[in-house]
C-alpha cells in the first residue's frame, strides 16, 4: 500500500486493523486516507471558542466500534484517582467514580490546588498516540500503531469531538497519572484527575515547589498548565473541585440555586414558551422545542439532587415545584 503518510507503508498494518476491529479493509483505507470530519466551535465559559472536530457518519461508526473495545481494556486497569471519561457496568454500581466521587476525595481539606491542562486534546499529537499503541497494554508493532494513530487523529492531533478521544487520552495519561500520584503520595497530598482537571488537596499548605514539580511531569507528556485557571484555596475560602463546593459538605454555588428558582418562577408567571426564550442561555431553543427546555431544567434539578442527596430539602422543594408546573403546563413532556 502506497500511503500519502510516509510513515505508513505497510498494507499488512491495515489488514491487521481490519481483522482486530472486524471492519472491512476498503472502509478503513478510505477513512484513513480521507477522513471526513465536521468542524464547529463551542463557546468557552472563560471566553473565546473551542474548535471541535466530529467524525462524520462512516468514520463515526468505526470510532464507536473501537470505543466499545477500548472501554473494557481501560476498565481493567483504570487508576482509582481517575474519574473523567470512565464508566461502570450495571454489575459494578459499587464503584465510586464520576464527578461527585472526584470531588468527595477532596472534601473538608485545609488546602485545595486546582490545575487545568491547556489545550488537552490538541496537545496529544499523532506521534504520541502512535507511541502509546506501541506500549503496554497494546504492544503493537510500529506500522500497526501508526495505522491506528492515523485512524483516531485528525490534523495531527487527537480531535475533540471524536468518541474515541476521551478514552485514548486516558490510556495516554496512564503513566502521567502514576507519576503525579507517586509525587503526591510522597508529600502526603491527595490527587485526582477528571479529564484535563487535576486536583490536589492536603491538610497542610501546598507550596509553589510542588506546582513546579507537577508542571515538569506534565511537560514530559507534552502538556502545559493553563496559568489562567491555576487556583489555590484555603478552607477559609470557597473551595471547588470540578464545579462542586467541597469546604464541609458537597454543594453547588448559590448562583446555581438562584438561577433555578428564577426559571421556575418565570415558568409559573409567563409560561414555558416565554421562559424558554428568556432563559435560553447558550442553547438556541426555538418555539416547538419546549420539551427540550423542560428536560434541561429537570436535568439541572436532578444534578442538584445528585450532589446534595435525594433527601435534601432544597432538592425536594425544587423538584416538587417543577412537577406541579409541568402538570399545569400544556406541553407534552
Amino acid at each position: 500500500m502506497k500511503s500519502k503518510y510516509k510513515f505508513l507503508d505497510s498494507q499488512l498494518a491495515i489488514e491487521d486493523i481490519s481483522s482486530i476491529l472486524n471492519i472491512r479493509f476498503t472502509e478503513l483505507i478510505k477513512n484513513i486516507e480521507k477522513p471526513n470530519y465536521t468542524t464547529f466551535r463551542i463557546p468557552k465559559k472563560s471566553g473565546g471558542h473551542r474548535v471541535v472536530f466530529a467524525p462524520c457518519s462512516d468514520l463515526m461508526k468505526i470510532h464507536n466500534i473501537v470505543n466499545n473495545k477500548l472501554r473494557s481494556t481501560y476498565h481493567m486497569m483504570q487508576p482509582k484517582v481517575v474519574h473523567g471519561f470512565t464508566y461502570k457496568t450495571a454489575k459494578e454500581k459499587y464503584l465510586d467514580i464520576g464527578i461527585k466521587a472526584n470531588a468527595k476525595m477532596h472534601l473538608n481539606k485545609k488546602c485545595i490546588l486546582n490545575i487545568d491542562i491547556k489545550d488537552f486534546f490538541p496537545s496529544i499529537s499523532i506521534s504520541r498516540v502512535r507511541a502509546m499503541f506501541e506500549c503496554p497494554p497494546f504492544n503493537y508493532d510500529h506500522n500497526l500503531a501508526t495505522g491506528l494513530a492515523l485512524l483516531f487523529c485528525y490534523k495531527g492531533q487527537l480531535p475533540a469531538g471524536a468518541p474515541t478521544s476521551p478514552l485514548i487520552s486516558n490510556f495516554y495519561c496512564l503513566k502521567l497519572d502514576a507519576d503525579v500520584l507517586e509525587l503526591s503520595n510522597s508529600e502526603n497530598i491527595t490527587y485526582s484527575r477528571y479529564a484535563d482537571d487535576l486536583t490536589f488537596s492536603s491538610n497542610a499548605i501546598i507550596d509553589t515547589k510542588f506546582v513546579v514539580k507537577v508542571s515538569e511531569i506534565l511537560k514530559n507528556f507534552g502538556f502545559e498548565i493553563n496559568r489562567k485557571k491555576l487556583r489555590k484555596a484555603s478552607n477559609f475560602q470557597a473551595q471547588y473541585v470540578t464545579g462542586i463546593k467541597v469546604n464541609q459538605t458537597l454543594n453547588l454555588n448559590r448562583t446555581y440555586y438562584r438561577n433555578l428558582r428564577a426559571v421556575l418562577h418565570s415558568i409559573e408567571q409567563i409560561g414555558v414558551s416565554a421562559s424558554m426564550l428568556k432563559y435560553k442561555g447558550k442553547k438556541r431553543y426555538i418555539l416547538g422545542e419546549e420539551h427540550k427546555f423542560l428536560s434541561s431544567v429537570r436535568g439541572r434539578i436532578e444534578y442538584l439532587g445528585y450532589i446534595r442527596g435525594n433527601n435534601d430539602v432544597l432538592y425536594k422543594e425544587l423538584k416538587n415545584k417543577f412537577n406541579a408546573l409541568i402538570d399545569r403546563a400544556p406541553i407534552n413532556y
Side-chain angles (χ1 to χ4, degrees):
M1 171 187 170
K2 182 68 175 177
S3 172
K4 65 179 179 178
Y5 300 99
K6 294 181 180 179
F7 48 93
L8 181 61
D9 55 6
S10 172
Q11 180 171 318
L12 289 174
I14 306 302
E15 290 176 349
D16 286 341
I17 296 171
S18 176
S19 176
I20 292 170
L21 303 180
N22 194 25
I23 297 171
R24 287 181 302 176
F25 177 86
T26 53
E27 193 73 16
L28 283 173
I29 291 288
K30 180 184 73 174
N31 283 288
I32 287 177
E33 290 292 333
K34 295 181 179 180
N36 192 6
Y37 282 80
T38 298
T39 304
F40 54 96
R41 295 173 179 270
I42 296 178
K44 294 182 179 179
K45 290 182 180 179
S46 56
H49 292 81
R50 177 180 289 105
V51 179
V52 175
F53 301 109
C56 292
S57 182
D58 290 343
L59 185 55
M60 179 67 84
K61 290 178 183 177
I62 294 174
H63 276 250
N64 284 329
I65 290 171
V66 174
N67 212 30
N68 289 332
K69 293 179 179 292
L70 287 177
R71 276 179 181 157
S72 57
T73 302
Y74 182 75
H75 187 56
M76 290 186 293
M77 56 197 312
Q78 175 187 328
K80 292 182 179 180
V81 297
V82 177
H83 292 272
F85 307 145
T86 57
Y87 84 111
K88 51 187 173 182
T89 66
K91 294 181 180 179
E92 295 166 327
K93 294 180 180 180
Y94 62 89
L95 289 178
D96 204 12
I97 56 176
I99 194 168
K100 182 177 179 179
N102 181 58
K104 196 185 296 183
M105 290 182 65
H106 307 283
L107 188 62
N108 201 20
K109 294 291 186 73
K110 289 185 177 180
C111 184
I112 297 281
L113 171 67
N114 303 112
I115 291 180
D116 180 87
I117 296 177
K118 185 179 180 181
D119 299 325
F120 184 58
F121 285 136
S123 297
I124 305 177
S125 66
I126 187 170
S127 61
R128 295 182 187 277
V129 173
R130 177 179 59 186
M132 181 201 79
F133 279 117
E134 292 176 324
C135 296
F138 304 103
N139 296 315
Y140 293 142
D141 66 43
H142 184 74
N143 278 322
L144 180 54
T146 299
L148 288 168
L150 289 169
L151 187 60
F152 303 138
C153 293
Y154 183 62
K155 294 184 179 293
Q157 64 191 34
L158 207 58
T164 49
S165 292
L167 268 176
I168 288 176
S169 72
N170 270 354
F171 275 111
Y172 177 72
C173 289
L174 279 170
K175 181 64 167 62
L176 181 149
D177 289 322
D179 290 351
V180 176
L181 182 59
E182 182 180 8
L183 169 66
S184 300
N185 287 342
S186 70
E187 303 201 20
N188 200 28
I189 292 173
T190 300
Y191 161 66
S192 71
R193 181 174 66 84
Y194 193 96
D196 57 353
D197 289 316
L198 281 62
T199 304
F200 304 88
S201 62
S202 175
N203 284 321
I205 295 174
I206 302 176
D207 59 24
T208 304
K209 291 181 181 179
F210 180 79
V211 179
V212 172
K213 290 176 183 177
V214 173
S215 178
E216 289 173 352
I217 292 175
L218 291 175
K219 285 181 181 178
N220 291 337
F221 292 86
F223 294 126
E224 180 183 350
I225 291 177
N226 186 342
R227 296 290 170 180
K228 293 180 180 179
K229 294 185 177 181
L230 183 65
R231 185 175 186 270
K232 185 164 67 173
S234 72
N235 55 342
F236 296 107
Q237 301 168 293
Q239 297 173 322
Y240 287 94
V241 177
T242 50
I244 301 174
K245 195 173 183 180
V246 295
N247 286 73
Q248 294 179 328
T249 59
L250 297 183
N251 209 343
L252 299 173
N253 62 46
R254 292 181 181 178
T255 302
Y256 192 94
Y257 310 133
R258 285 200 294 265
N259 289 345
L260 263 179
R261 287 187 183 280
V263 171
L264 294 177
H265 179 73
S266 178
I267 292 173
E268 185 177 32
Q269 295 298 313
I270 63 176
V272 177
S273 298
S275 299
M276 175 184 70
L277 298 176
K278 180 179 179 181
Y279 288 99
K280 60 184 178 180
K282 293 179 181 178
K283 295 186 178 180
R284 298 180 180 180
Y285 296 110
I286 58 175
L287 292 175
E289 294 185 336
E290 285 81 358
H291 61 291
K292 292 183 180 179
F293 170 69
L294 291 174
S295 292
S296 174
V297 176
R298 179 184 285 279
R300 289 160 62 190
I301 294 172
E302 291 304 324
Y303 182 68
L304 170 66
Y306 168 66
I307 298 301
R308 291 177 59 126
N310 290 334
N311 291 321
D312 179 71
V313 174
L314 179 58
Y315 163 68
K316 287 183 176 180
E317 175 196 334
L318 295 177
K319 183 179 180 179
N320 290 339
K321 185 170 185 178
F322 176 83
N323 289 336
L325 291 172
I326 295 306
D327 288 340
R328 296 194 308 232
I331 302 293
N332 184 18
Y333 176 72

